[in-house]
Amino acid sequence: MTDSFPRLHARTRRFTLGVPRGFTVAPDGSRAVFQRSRSGTDPVTCLWSVDAATGAERLLVDPADVPGLPGEEDLPAAERARRERVREQAGGVVGYTCDDAVERAVFALSGRPFTVSLTGAPDVAPLDIGGIEAVVDPRIDPTGRRIAFVADRALYLHDLAAGSTTALLTPESHDVSYGLPDFAAAEEMGRTRGFWWSPDGGSLLVARVDESPVARWYIADPAHPDRVPTEVRYPAAGTPNAVVGLEIVTVDGARTPVTRDTAGYEYLATARWDAHGPLLSVQPRDQREVLVLAVDPRTGATTALHSQTDPVWVENVPGVPARTASGALVRAVDTGGARRLVVGDTELTGPELQVREVLGIDGETVLFRASPEPTSTALYSAAPGTAPVALSPTTGLHSGTVAGGTLVRVSQDLDVAPHAELVTADGAVHPVAGHAADPGLVPAVALHAFGGRDLRTAVLLPTGHVPGTPLPVLLDPYGGPHSQRVVRSRNAHLTSRWFADRGFAVLVTDGRGSPGRGPEFERAIHGDLAGPVLTDQVDALHAAAQEYPDLDLTRVAIRGWSFGGYLAALAVLRRPDVFHAGIAGAPVTDWALYDTHYTERYLGLPGGEPYRRSSVIDDAATPPTDRAPHRPLMIVHGLADDNVVAAHTLRLSSALLAAGRPHQVLPLSGVTHMTPQEVVAENLLLLQVRFLQEALGTAG
């Protein structure tokens, strides 16, 4: 029996299973290591290698062949929490690190560390670490002699030759951890690591995180009242963050504190250790500066290399700061309406590109991703004195890595599933097999730039739609910062296509605040997370109706998750003249309940007009009137969500009830911010369609 699209969507983790990812190219370019599950429905990730000369693949690690491992449901709590924090959807070898020669790798399976040879016969072997459990983030040193890992908030060192394991840094209290990222770094800054090896493998730069100032929150499971609530440390807006210090520790245990101003610069945004020494970037609480610091590994003293300031905020661009082989500082700057790549004092890109990420540095050449237009992100290389060279098509979404003249390119487009290929120095191209499941849907999406702000909008009409037939409209946005939905990617539009084929004209709009359009477009939401994003959705809807006269503006609904859920609730409460029904999944309803780094960037410290303008609670508390009638609203929330806690939905529901506004609340027991559970995910989509059809009067 063929699975329905909702079931297949959940089973395939949104059609990401079976796609090759996580490539590491050997320094001589002869081969690459990567991760991929065996099929598009297999959640167990294996480790593979591919020969650059022939394209032949070799299986290195299949977790199914490792005896005695517990199932994913039996993972240690620390590992489950880590995967949720980084949105890891698969199991098996979900991460690995290699030595500099790419001859040996280390990884964890079910909280246990393993090594494998990457040349010759694979020899998957568990590390004998003396019964230590729940290992997190094992990392091999660049020389391949030692492995560092975290367990129970302590940092350990394992010597491969001696077979010995020692505790390098042990927490002084239950509030302290060594080698782990703090909440703000992992959730909002993209820094999921807490320790970094020196190039010679003799020392480590280690984060010390003290969470004692951070508020304790408790996530209960109402479906199991016999269970003790889970305690989490959550730095809500306006409350203290964790104190993040740094130490340099040698493999012999000698410790040197890194001296930096942790009070003036609360956030450790990035850290690395290259041939020139440790390199940091830090931010003050208001995020109006990024300060780049070099660290003397002998004394721990820091030296300021560069300071970038902005009266609104400074963006943390992935991959920078970094340094070239000569020591020139690589950074991104916002000037002239563009985010530009700079090496030393030389701008490598101009207004024609919006730099998105630096992927790597080879000598003086920088590999990076940038958008020539908002719906595409291409792969480029550049060096001082040369113009950027496109290493991929300039339409679609592309990323990659390069070493020894061999480029790995990972690509996707509207009509092409995510795939990868090796491109050698002599121009030979070897596809890397992809096993993603066939969704059984073709997006058939039309991309537009609507209105005076050129709002990028995807329009999807039902398959076989007969012109002249009125269509109910469903807006399906995310609509907020850090994320785009209107991109040239097949997978990005599959769920919208499925809704379209249920009888809706589906619109997806990336409004102000979304990336890829330049700094001014992103910063237009400063001080107001509600007004600009909602206005852009309404403006795009009306512009689309001019282009597509079959859109029935008397039957308009909106759905979304997370920020999109907030936007959906906002739409039906603030603009009931436009929106006639809404589905709000895991919505942020009270911004004082969301975290420091995200919320304060846009709204500052709690209190005052920005929080009032951006809250939906006041809108919910206003009784409906003839001029502002009530609109049906379904609110969905996972009760185990520790990112957008269920209190957001409960407070919204209480305000709606007090104002006499009927609504539906669908609580999901045991579900976090996003659910990989097939039955739950499938039925959620089916229930949403039924709700929308009934609310708009289109149920057959």
Side-chain angles (χ1 to χ4, degrees):
M1 187 174 182
T2 303
D3 285 326
S4 66
F5 172 82
R7 176 63 65 95
L8 192 61
H9 184 260
R11 180 169 297 167
T12 61
R13 308 298 196 266
R14 303 175 182 85
F15 301 97
T16 61
L17 299 181
V19 176
R21 61 185 177 93
F23 284 87
T24 303
V25 182
D28 62 359
S30 62
R31 55 197 164 80
V33 179
F34 67 99
Q35 299 159 276
R36 186 187 59 206
S37 61
R38 285 183 172 275
S39 77
T41 57
D42 186 349
V44 179
T45 306
C46 302
L47 194 65
W48 308 75
S49 69
V50 55
D51 187 279
T54 65
E57 297 181 7
R58 187 164 66 103
L59 178 63
L60 298 171
V61 180
D62 185 347
D65 295 334
V66 180
L69 289 179
E72 293 296 311
E73 68 278 2
D74 299 318
L75 286 173
E79 175 63 8
R80 292 198 304 273
R82 185 196 68 81
R83 293 191 186 185
E84 168 64 17
R85 187 69 60 219
V86 300
R87 308 287 188 263
E88 177 60 63
Q89 295 290 303
V93 184
V94 298
Y96 72 98
T97 62
C98 302
D99 57 12
D100 275 355
V102 192
E103 294 179 346
R104 181 161 293 277
V106 61
F107 55 93
L109 291 174
S110 300
R112 304 176 190 174
F114 291 78
T115 64
V116 62
S117 173
L118 304 177
T119 59
D123 57 346
V124 180
L127 293 183
D128 183 1
I129 55 174
I132 299 170
E133 297 181 347
V135 167
V136 174
D137 198 21
R139 292 184 173 270
I140 194 166
D141 86 81
T143 69
R145 294 174 293 174
R146 303 177 182 91
I147 293 167
F149 62 88
V150 178
D152 195 22
R153 297 172 291 105
L155 182 70
Y156 289 87
L157 184 69
H158 181 82
D159 187 295
L160 287 170
S164 58
T165 303
T166 56
L168 272 184
L169 296 171
T170 303
E172 297 82 3
S173 73
H174 290 294
D175 295 318
V176 173
S177 66
Y178 285 99
L180 295 174
D182 59 290
F183 180 98
E187 188 63 47
E188 304 298 354
M189 289 183 269
R191 179 172 64 78
T192 57
R193 299 177 57 183
F195 65 91
W196 301 265
W197 278 105
S198 64
D200 65 4
S203 303
L204 298 107
L205 176 68
V206 184
R208 179 187 186 273
V209 177
D210 181 0
E211 292 188 307
S212 58
V214 182
R216 292 175 171 86
W217 284 11
Y218 301 91
I219 310 297
D221 184 356
H224 297 91
D226 56 313
R227 296 180 182 175
V228 176
T230 300
E231 179 184 297
V232 298
R233 295 301 186 102
Y234 194 93
T239 69
N241 284 305
V243 178
V244 182
L246 287 165
E247 293 192 26
I248 293 170
V249 57
T250 68
V251 294
D252 297 325
R255 300 169 62 171
T256 303
V258 173
T259 55
R260 72 175 189 90
D261 180 7
T262 56
Y265 296 87
E266 292 189 23
Y267 296 120
L268 174 64
T270 68
R272 65 177 71 230
W273 196 330
D274 60 22
H276 306 283
L279 184 70
L280 319 174
S281 68
V282 297
Q283 281 189 301
R285 180 101 180 207
D286 64 13
Q287 302 175 56
R288 293 175 181 171
E289 181 184 9
V290 168
L291 178 64
V292 180
L293 301 172
V295 181
D296 185 334
R298 298 167 302 169
T299 65
T302 55
T303 302
L305 298 182
H306 187 267
S307 173
Q308 182 177 347
T309 61
D310 188 275
V312 183
W313 73 73
V314 180
E315 188 74 21
N316 287 312
V317 177
V320 296
R323 287 180 287 208
T324 67
S326 67
L329 187 65
V330 180
R331 52 196 175 89
V333 300
D334 296 340
T335 180
R339 184 154 294 141
R340 308 183 188 214
L341 182 67
V342 177
V343 174
D345 295 323
T346 303
E347 289 188 359
L348 300 190
T349 61
E352 74 285 353
L353 294 176
Q354 299 288 347
V355 172
R356 309 295 287 269
E357 179 181 10
V358 169
L359 298 166
I361 298 172
D362 183 8
E364 302 303 307
T365 300
V366 182
L367 182 71
F368 64 100
R369 299 170 63 238
S371 291
E373 61 86 25
T375 66
S376 295
T377 304
L379 189 62
Y380 297 87
S381 69
T386 65
V389 176
L391 302 178
S392 72
T394 55
T395 59
L397 301 184
H398 308 273
S399 186
T401 185
V402 66
T406 295
L407 170 72
V408 173
R409 189 165 55 212
V410 181
S411 303
Q412 55 184 307
D413 209 327
L414 288 173
D415 55 354
V416 180
H419 63 283
E421 55 192 9
L422 268 66
V423 183
T424 62
D426 60 5
V429 178
H430 298 293
V432 179
H435 305 316
D438 182 354
L441 296 176
V442 177
V445 57
L447 300 183
H448 296 269
F450 282 139
R453 290 186 296 280
D454 290 331
L455 298 171
R456 267 44 180 199
T457 301
V459 178
L460 302 94
L461 303 181
T463 301
H465 169 67
V466 178
T469 305
L471 291 170
V473 185
L474 173 63
L475 274 63
D476 191 16
Y478 179 80
H482 301 293
S483 181
Q484 287 178 271
R485 291 218 45 222
V486 186
V487 290
R488 298 188 65 89
S489 163
R490 183 199 70 167
N491 286 10
H493 302 286
L494 290 175
T495 302
S496 296
R497 163 51 52 198
W498 182 80
F499 272 99
D501 287 344
R502 309 279 80 74
F504 299 94
V506 178
L507 272 62
V508 185
T509 298
D510 287 337
R512 281 170 286 180
S514 59
R517 293 287 305 275
E520 286 76 14
F521 195 82
E522 293 178 22
R523 292 170 181 155
I525 60 173
H526 186 246
D528 186 356
L529 283 170
V533 297
L534 182 55
T535 296
D536 285 350
Q537 297 298 318
V538 174
D539 288 354
L541 169 66
H542 290 155
Q546 293 293 318
E547 185 84 12
Y548 296 88
D550 288 345
L551 271 58
D552 183 354
L553 297 188
T554 68
R555 296 181 295 167
V556 178
I558 182 171
R559 67 178 287 270
W561 201 269
S562 198
F563 191 97
Y566 159 73
L567 181 53
L570 187 73
V572 296
L573 292 170
R574 196 167 292 187
R575 293 301 304 270
D577 57 317
V578 175
F579 299 95
H580 306 94
I583 299 172
V588 178
T589 64
D590 182 350
W591 286 103
L593 280 178
Y594 203 57
D595 70 62
T596 53
H597 191 273
Y598 185 100
T599 309
E600 293 172 13
R601 162 183 290 204
Y602 307 113
L603 303 180
L605 294 173
E609 190 63 17
Y611 280 78
R612 190 200 64 77
R613 279 196 299 260
S614 303
S615 174
V616 300
I617 300 295
D618 289 348
D619 296 281
T622 303
T625 65
D626 291 341
R627 296 185 62 184
H630 170 73
R631 300 303 190 191
L633 175 63
M634 172 191 281
I635 313 169
V636 186
H637 217 123
L639 297 180
D641 195 337
D642 62 357
N643 177 21
V644 182
V645 294
H648 286 274
T649 281
L650 297 177
R651 292 186 183 186
L652 176 61
S653 178
S654 294
L656 291 167
L657 183 61
R661 291 179 177 268
H663 59 283
Q664 300 181 26
V665 176
L666 182 59
L668 307 177
S669 178
V671 170
T672 54
H673 195 55
M674 307 292 289
T675 178
Q677 300 169 16
E678 290 181 22
V679 174
V680 173
E682 176 183 31
N683 286 329
L684 266 179
L685 287 177
L686 297 173
L687 287 172
Q688 288 178 62
V689 168
R690 188 177 308 163
F691 171 83
L692 294 171
Q693 290 173 336
E694 292 175 354
L696 299 180
T698 63

